[in-house]
Amino acid sequence: MQGLFANRRGVVVYLAVWLFLGLALAGVITLVGAAAAPNALLFALPVNLVYAFAAGYSAYYLCRSYPLGGARARAIPLVFSAAALVAGGLWLAVGQGWNSLCLLLGVGWAGIDLGHRLAALMLAEGVLLYGFAAALHYLVIEFVRATGAEQSALEARLMAQEAELRMLRTQIDPHFLFNSLNSISALTSQDPKGARRMTLELASFFRHSLGLEAHRKVTLGQEMELVRHFLAVEQVRFGARLLFAEEVSAEAAACLLPPMLIQPLVENAVKHGICHLPEGGTIRLTARRAGSLLHIGIDNPVDPDPPASGAKGQGIGLSNVRQRLAGAYRHEASIHWTRRQNRFGVEISMPAQLSEE
């Protein structure tokens, strides 16, 4: 049974309302002089509780059979008017039967003077209360329907977002793999041992990457392990030309972020920075937490006079990271990059999350 009786709290609130209505009926009986207060309470409260369940269940199934937006919506006023009259009449009959039983007890505190005026009042009240129960059920049913539709829309949006993020993540692995294979191919003739070492480091990188694949988000500390594996691969290729300095606070390392978010930026720094500098340089990565935000910065040297063909290209790294941040955090995250003098810097600001939401 759903509707008002879907959970215990709903039942308690519903019965509390009907108990209050029973007290009100007892008060009316006392005011019109039909009985003393104990007699009125003994009559009104049991009768109201019985009617609460009878009217509640009847109205609920009628509301389910005649939904507001259904094909039979035009018949709702007629159906519920007839049902309310029948329910009110039955309630009056139950009340008269209960009153007769109380009078048979032959004690002063049982039974009331159920005359024609009081009987008509009970019938009218029964009709109104049935309509009240039906209106409550319609409200609850429509609220549950709207909540379900909103939940379904949210789940569909999350599934679409997850599919978009997975598509963006699939761009990373082939991109890095092709670059690494080209490097290994170049090393096989010049430095076979270096090519073998690079192959092993590459295997370690993808093994670690696959371990993070099952998670929607990983800690920055885990992401940094992936970055170190990547740099170990590139270290074989560049040697002393490639230096790396990181400043990651413990609070920042515990924060969550989408997997493979930082690695493409470090790869960008190698491909578009260190690769074009004969003397190489240092890639700096900083991460700190400031309240509810996580700030990550990546800074690398660049060629002061880049060739015309490579002046604008920054690979897929920056656009991929920007799209993944937008998909995961919407307007709550941002990424900016600047070029000052002979260095290129990327700044990321995102929510500092410690648990997946």
Side-chain angles (χ1 to χ4, degrees), residues 164-165 168 261 265 316-330 333-337 348:
E164 179 184 1
L165 293 177
L168 291 170
L261 188 75
L265 298 179
I316 68 169
L318 291 173
S319 61
N320 186 290
V321 170
R322 180 173 53 190
Q323 292 180 65
R324 294 183 66 200
L325 284 173
Y329 302 104
R330 301 300 177 188
S334 62
I335 178 172
H336 303 282
W337 50 87
I348 296 177

Side-chain angles (χ1 to χ4, degrees), residues 127-312:
V127 172
L128 292 176
L129 290 180
Y130 191 90
F132 169 72
L136 280 180
H137 279 297
Y138 270 129
L139 285 175
V140 172
I141 289 173
E142 288 303 307
F143 175 77
V144 171
R145 184 192 63 79
T147 303
E150 182 180 355
Q151 182 68 22
S152 298
L154 177 61
E155 291 177 357
R157 189 162 62 249
L158 289 175
M159 290 178 63
Q161 176 181 318
E162 185 67 21
E164 179 184 1
L165 293 177
R166 287 185 178 276
M167 179 195 69
L168 291 170
R169 283 177 61 181
T170 58
Q171 297 178 4
I172 299 293
D173 291 348
H175 181 246
F176 171 55
L177 178 61
F178 295 151
N179 288 342
S180 299
L181 290 177
N182 287 334
S183 298
I184 293 173
S185 176
L187 285 173
T188 51
S189 58
Q190 303 173 7
D191 185 4
K193 291 184 178 180
R196 183 176 183 276
R197 189 165 67 255
M198 192 173 188
T199 302
L200 294 176
E201 293 290 353
L202 184 63
S204 298
F205 172 85
F206 279 104
R207 188 181 301 111
H208 190 78
S209 174
L210 291 174
L212 301 181
E213 185 71 25
H215 304 280
R216 291 181 62 247
K217 291 182 180 179
V218 298
T219 65
L220 177 59
Q222 292 173 306
E223 178 76 3
M224 289 305 301
E225 291 181 20
L226 192 67
V227 169
R228 296 185 194 105
H229 279 299
F230 164 78
L231 290 172
V233 174
E234 296 292 358
Q235 195 75 50
V236 178
R237 177 184 174 191
F238 293 99
R241 292 172 57 199
L242 174 58
L243 301 176
F244 180 65
E246 61 176 280
E247 296 180 13
V248 181
S249 67
E251 291 183 344
C255 294
L256 296 176
L257 72 167
M260 301 285 288
L261 188 75
I262 307 301
Q263 183 272 335
L265 298 179
V266 176
E267 181 179 355
N268 242 26
V270 174
K271 180 180 179 183
H272 300 285
I274 304 300
C275 186
H276 298 288
L277 298 172
E279 72 281 5
T282 301
I283 299 173
R284 296 188 180 92
L285 187 149
T286 60
R288 60 184 178 85
R289 179 179 177 182
S292 61
L293 292 178
L294 175 64
H295 298 285
I296 301 173
I298 299 174
D299 180 82
N300 63 274
V302 291
D303 189 348
D305 298 311
S309 59
K312 296 183 180 180

Side-chain angles (χ1 to χ4, degrees), residues 65-75:
S65 300
Y66 293 87
L68 292 177
R72 298 187 293 177
R74 295 182 179 180

